[in-house]
Amino acid sequence: MAIKVDQTKCIGCGMCVGLCPDTFKLNSVGRSEVISQDNKDCASQAAQNCPVLAISVE
Ligand code: SF4
């Protein structure tokens, strides 16, 4: 099981960071990066709400 963000899809809307601040952060180019693999439940919720489906939890 790993949380991943597809950097080619992320549009930097910030939704996942707002929902799971301990899991995602926006990087220097304004895209979401995974900073912790600890909260897969929150990441799954973020994945379902990401407007461009850039988050995968697998
Ligand atoms: S919700 Fe999706 S598009 Fe928005 S910042 Fe997170 S990964 Fe990027």
Side-chain angles (χ1 to χ4, degrees):
M1 288 272 283
I3 305 164
K4 290 181 194 161
V5 174
D6 184 334
Q7 298 291 307
T8 66
K9 287 187 186 166
C10 176
I11 55 169
C13 73
M15 187 282 300
C16 58
V17 180
L19 198 63
C20 315
D22 296 333
T23 303
F24 303 99
K25 74 164 183 150
L26 290 182
N27 65 19
S28 57
V29 293
R31 299 211 171 92
S32 174
E33 258 178 31
V34 179
I35 53 171
S36 164
Q37 294 287 332
D38 289 345
N39 196 340
K40 303 247 176 355
D41 288 345
C42 195
S44 296
Q45 243 190 306
Q48 284 170 20
N49 287 294
C50 174
V52 293
L53 303 177
I55 303 168
S56 58
V57 184
E58 54 191 33

